[in-house]
Amino acid sequence: MIKQFFLISKKPELKASEFRQYYESHHVPLIKRLLPMFARYRRHYLDRENSALASGQPDPGFDAITEIWFSRPADYDAFIERVSDPEVIAKIRTDEANFLISDATRSLRMETCE
């Protein structure tokens, strides 16, 4: 299975709860509408108060990890083609400007073996 991981940094002026609320209420529906070819779409939010960060670990430099799973290589290819469309990426970037730092986002393609 192919997965695309995104390491995402919130805008500094937002509280973690505001970031999460916007992501879940606004960005997730947009992504599901624009990019329906994925099999799963998960978000994991960093818990700064109750994690190793609270005990002095270095900050990882991101606030959320997003996973998008693809059942077939053709679905991943369709995803890449769709996000290469200037109109689609413009809609995504416009929404991202409300809650995250687009330039800080890191994207990683992974393949899972079980």
Side-chain angles (χ1 to χ4, degrees), residues 32-46:
K32 287 182 174 181
R33 188 174 70 250
L34 294 175
L35 307 168
M37 65 286 296
F38 53 80
R40 292 181 80 178
Y41 178 31
R42 284 185 162 174
R43 281 90 45 220
H44 307 273
Y45 297 94
L46 185 62

PDB file of all heavy atoms in Angstrom, residues 32-46:
ATOM      1  N   LYS A  32     -11.334  16.018   0.797  1.00  0.00           N
ATOM      2  CA  LYS A  32     -12.163  14.872   0.393  1.00  0.00           C
ATOM      3  C   LYS A  32     -12.915  15.158  -0.895  1.00  0.00           C
ATOM      4  O   LYS A  32     -13.118  14.263  -1.710  1.00  0.00           O
ATOM      5  CB  LYS A  32     -13.131  14.489   1.513  1.00  0.00           C
ATOM      6  CG  LYS A  32     -12.440  13.801   2.663  1.00  0.00           C
ATOM      7  CD  LYS A  32     -13.433  13.395   3.737  1.00  0.00           C
ATOM      8  CE  LYS A  32     -12.760  12.585   4.825  1.00  0.00           C
ATOM      9  NZ  LYS A  32     -13.713  12.161   5.865  1.00  0.00           N
ATOM     10  N   ARG A  33     -13.329  16.403  -1.079  1.00  0.00           N
ATOM     11  CA  ARG A  33     -14.055  16.772  -2.295  1.00  0.00           C
ATOM     12  C   ARG A  33     -13.108  16.866  -3.496  1.00  0.00           C
ATOM     13  O   ARG A  33     -13.420  16.378  -4.578  1.00  0.00           O
ATOM     14  CB  ARG A  33     -14.778  18.104  -2.072  1.00  0.00           C
ATOM     15  CG  ARG A  33     -15.722  18.476  -3.200  1.00  0.00           C
ATOM     16  CD  ARG A  33     -16.534  19.727  -2.911  1.00  0.00           C
ATOM     17  NE  ARG A  33     -15.710  20.929  -2.931  1.00  0.00           N
ATOM     18  CZ  ARG A  33     -15.383  21.657  -1.864  1.00  0.00           C
ATOM     19  NH1 ARG A  33     -15.800  21.318  -0.666  1.00  0.00           N
ATOM     20  NH2 ARG A  33     -14.643  22.731  -1.981  1.00  0.00           N
ATOM     21  N   LEU A  34     -11.931  17.470  -3.306  1.00  0.00           N
ATOM     22  CA  LEU A  34     -11.002  17.677  -4.414  1.00  0.00           C
ATOM     23  C   LEU A  34     -10.196  16.435  -4.780  1.00  0.00           C
ATOM     24  O   LEU A  34      -9.786  16.281  -5.924  1.00  0.00           O
ATOM     25  CB  LEU A  34     -10.025  18.814  -4.079  1.00  0.00           C
ATOM     26  CG  LEU A  34     -10.606  20.210  -3.947  1.00  0.00           C
ATOM     27  CD1 LEU A  34      -9.524  21.185  -3.486  1.00  0.00           C
ATOM     28  CD2 LEU A  34     -11.209  20.665  -5.277  1.00  0.00           C
ATOM     29  N   LEU A  35      -9.935  15.576  -3.791  1.00  0.00           N
ATOM     30  CA  LEU A  35      -9.043  14.424  -3.984  1.00  0.00           C
ATOM     31  C   LEU A  35      -9.713  13.139  -3.481  1.00  0.00           C
ATOM     32  O   LEU A  35      -9.263  12.535  -2.511  1.00  0.00           O
ATOM     33  CB  LEU A  35      -7.718  14.662  -3.242  1.00  0.00           C
ATOM     34  CG  LEU A  35      -6.988  15.968  -3.563  1.00  0.00           C
ATOM     35  CD1 LEU A  35      -5.875  16.225  -2.566  1.00  0.00           C
ATOM     36  CD2 LEU A  35      -6.458  15.921  -4.983  1.00  0.00           C
ATOM     37  N   PRO A  36     -10.760  12.693  -4.141  1.00  0.00           N
ATOM     38  CA  PRO A  36     -11.520  11.545  -3.634  1.00  0.00           C
ATOM     39  C   PRO A  36     -10.881  10.180  -3.881  1.00  0.00           C
ATOM     40  O   PRO A  36     -11.454   9.161  -3.500  1.00  0.00           O
ATOM     41  CB  PRO A  36     -12.839  11.661  -4.406  1.00  0.00           C
ATOM     42  CG  PRO A  36     -12.430  12.260  -5.706  1.00  0.00           C
ATOM     43  CD  PRO A  36     -11.343  13.256  -5.349  1.00  0.00           C
ATOM     44  N   MET A  37      -9.690  10.133  -4.455  1.00  0.00           N
ATOM     45  CA  MET A  37      -9.120   8.846  -4.865  1.00  0.00           C
ATOM     46  C   MET A  37      -8.380   8.089  -3.770  1.00  0.00           C
ATOM     47  O   MET A  37      -7.877   7.005  -4.003  1.00  0.00           O
ATOM     48  CB  MET A  37      -8.206   9.036  -6.081  1.00  0.00           C
ATOM     49  CG  MET A  37      -6.967   9.865  -5.839  1.00  0.00           C
ATOM     50  SD  MET A  37      -7.240  11.643  -5.683  1.00  0.00           S
ATOM     51  CE  MET A  37      -7.861  12.085  -7.280  1.00  0.00           C
ATOM     52  N   PHE A  38      -8.289   8.641  -2.581  1.00  0.00           N
ATOM     53  CA  PHE A  38      -7.558   7.940  -1.534  1.00  0.00           C
ATOM     54  C   PHE A  38      -8.473   6.952  -0.799  1.00  0.00           C
ATOM     55  O   PHE A  38      -9.684   7.102  -0.776  1.00  0.00           O
ATOM     56  CB  PHE A  38      -6.899   8.906  -0.550  1.00  0.00           C
ATOM     57  CG  PHE A  38      -7.834   9.923   0.036  1.00  0.00           C
ATOM     58  CD1 PHE A  38      -8.663   9.595   1.087  1.00  0.00           C
ATOM     59  CD2 PHE A  38      -7.866  11.215  -0.456  1.00  0.00           C
ATOM     60  CE1 PHE A  38      -9.519  10.522   1.646  1.00  0.00           C
ATOM     61  CE2 PHE A  38      -8.723  12.156   0.090  1.00  0.00           C
ATOM     62  CZ  PHE A  38      -9.552  11.809   1.134  1.00  0.00           C
ATOM     63  N   ALA A  39      -7.838   5.956  -0.170  1.00  0.00           N
ATOM     64  CA  ALA A  39      -8.578   4.938   0.580  1.00  0.00           C
ATOM     65  C   ALA A  39      -8.801   5.356   2.031  1.00  0.00           C
ATOM     66  O   ALA A  39      -9.844   5.068   2.610  1.00  0.00           O
ATOM     67  CB  ALA A  39      -7.827   3.609   0.532  1.00  0.00           C
ATOM     68  N   ARG A  40      -7.796   6.034   2.627  1.00  0.00           N
ATOM     69  CA  ARG A  40      -7.892   6.505   4.014  1.00  0.00           C
ATOM     70  C   ARG A  40      -7.200   7.852   4.129  1.00  0.00           C
ATOM     71  O   ARG A  40      -6.248   8.125   3.407  1.00  0.00           O
ATOM     72  CB  ARG A  40      -7.223   5.521   4.970  1.00  0.00           C
ATOM     73  CG  ARG A  40      -7.962   4.197   5.066  1.00  0.00           C
ATOM     74  CD  ARG A  40      -7.300   3.266   6.015  1.00  0.00           C
ATOM     75  NE  ARG A  40      -7.681   3.620   7.386  1.00  0.00           N
ATOM     76  CZ  ARG A  40      -7.272   2.947   8.443  1.00  0.00           C
ATOM     77  NH1 ARG A  40      -6.468   1.911   8.310  1.00  0.00           N
ATOM     78  NH2 ARG A  40      -7.644   3.310   9.643  1.00  0.00           N
ATOM     79  N   TYR A  41      -7.682   8.629   5.075  1.00  0.00           N
ATOM     80  CA  TYR A  41      -7.142   9.970   5.305  1.00  0.00           C
ATOM     81  C   TYR A  41      -7.152  10.184   6.809  1.00  0.00           C
ATOM     82  O   TYR A  41      -8.201  10.373   7.415  1.00  0.00           O
ATOM     83  CB  TYR A  41      -8.032  10.971   4.572  1.00  0.00           C
ATOM     84  CG  TYR A  41      -7.699  12.431   4.687  1.00  0.00           C
ATOM     85  CD1 TYR A  41      -6.410  12.907   4.845  1.00  0.00           C
ATOM     86  CD2 TYR A  41      -8.725  13.371   4.591  1.00  0.00           C
ATOM     87  CE1 TYR A  41      -6.139  14.258   4.912  1.00  0.00           C
ATOM     88  CE2 TYR A  41      -8.463  14.734   4.652  1.00  0.00           C
ATOM     89  CZ  TYR A  41      -7.176  15.169   4.817  1.00  0.00           C
ATOM     90  OH  TYR A  41      -6.919  16.510   4.880  1.00  0.00           O
ATOM     91  N   ARG A  42      -5.977  10.115   7.425  1.00  0.00           N
ATOM     92  CA  ARG A  42      -5.852  10.247   8.880  1.00  0.00           C
ATOM     93  C   ARG A  42      -5.041  11.471   9.246  1.00  0.00           C
ATOM     94  O   ARG A  42      -4.080  11.804   8.569  1.00  0.00           O
ATOM     95  CB  ARG A  42      -5.114   9.048   9.454  1.00  0.00           C
ATOM     96  CG  ARG A  42      -5.884   7.809   9.552  1.00  0.00           C
ATOM     97  CD  ARG A  42      -5.024   6.795  10.254  1.00  0.00           C
ATOM     98  NE  ARG A  42      -5.841   5.711  10.743  1.00  0.00           N
ATOM     99  CZ  ARG A  42      -5.356   4.637  11.287  1.00  0.00           C
ATOM    100  NH1 ARG A  42      -4.054   4.486  11.426  1.00  0.00           N
ATOM    101  NH2 ARG A  42      -6.144   3.686  11.712  1.00  0.00           N
ATOM    102  N   ARG A  43      -5.421  12.081  10.365  1.00  0.00           N
ATOM    103  CA  ARG A  43      -4.668  13.192  10.929  1.00  0.00           C
ATOM    104  C   ARG A  43      -4.261  12.830  12.343  1.00  0.00           C
ATOM    105  O   ARG A  43      -5.072  12.304  13.110  1.00  0.00           O
ATOM    106  CB  ARG A  43      -5.510  14.477  10.952  1.00  0.00           C
ATOM    107  CG  ARG A  43      -5.602  15.191   9.630  1.00  0.00           C
ATOM    108  CD  ARG A  43      -6.747  14.787   8.754  1.00  0.00           C
ATOM    109  NE  ARG A  43      -8.023  14.666   9.423  1.00  0.00           N
ATOM    110  CZ  ARG A  43      -8.886  13.692   9.139  1.00  0.00           C
ATOM    111  NH1 ARG A  43      -8.621  12.787   8.237  1.00  0.00           N
ATOM    112  NH2 ARG A  43     -10.053  13.620   9.761  1.00  0.00           N
ATOM    113  N   HIS A  44      -3.010  13.128  12.676  1.00  0.00           N
ATOM    114  CA  HIS A  44      -2.478  12.889  14.018  1.00  0.00           C
ATOM    115  C   HIS A  44      -1.940  14.229  14.520  1.00  0.00           C
ATOM    116  O   HIS A  44      -1.125  14.852  13.836  1.00  0.00           O
ATOM    117  CB  HIS A  44      -1.322  11.883  13.982  1.00  0.00           C
ATOM    118  CG  HIS A  44      -1.670  10.613  13.277  1.00  0.00           C
ATOM    119  ND1 HIS A  44      -2.262   9.545  13.901  1.00  0.00           N
ATOM    120  CD2 HIS A  44      -1.499  10.255  11.983  1.00  0.00           C
ATOM    121  CE1 HIS A  44      -2.439   8.571  13.022  1.00  0.00           C
ATOM    122  NE2 HIS A  44      -1.989   8.976  11.855  1.00  0.00           N
ATOM    123  N   TYR A  45      -2.398  14.642  15.685  1.00  0.00           N
ATOM    124  CA  TYR A  45      -2.023  15.948  16.214  1.00  0.00           C
ATOM    125  C   TYR A  45      -1.042  15.788  17.375  1.00  0.00           C
ATOM    126  O   TYR A  45      -1.270  14.995  18.283  1.00  0.00           O
ATOM    127  CB  TYR A  45      -3.269  16.713  16.675  1.00  0.00           C
ATOM    128  CG  TYR A  45      -4.202  16.985  15.525  1.00  0.00           C
ATOM    129  CD1 TYR A  45      -5.251  16.114  15.231  1.00  0.00           C
ATOM    130  CD2 TYR A  45      -4.002  18.077  14.702  1.00  0.00           C
ATOM    131  CE1 TYR A  45      -6.099  16.353  14.159  1.00  0.00           C
ATOM    132  CE2 TYR A  45      -4.842  18.322  13.625  1.00  0.00           C
ATOM    133  CZ  TYR A  45      -5.886  17.455  13.365  1.00  0.00           C
ATOM    134  OH  TYR A  45      -6.698  17.688  12.291  1.00  0.00           O
ATOM    135  N   LEU A  46       0.009  16.567  17.347  1.00  0.00           N
ATOM    136  CA  LEU A  46       1.018  16.549  18.397  1.00  0.00           C
ATOM    137  C   LEU A  46       0.403  17.086  19.688  1.00  0.00           C
ATOM    138  O   LEU A  46      -0.224  18.140  19.694  1.00  0.00           O
ATOM    139  CB  LEU A  46       2.200  17.420  17.969  1.00  0.00           C
ATOM    140  CG  LEU A  46       3.414  17.440  18.870  1.00  0.00           C
ATOM    141  CD1 LEU A  46       4.017  16.049  18.978  1.00  0.00           C
ATOM    142  CD2 LEU A  46       4.451  18.406  18.322  1.00  0.00           C
TER     143      LEU A  46
END
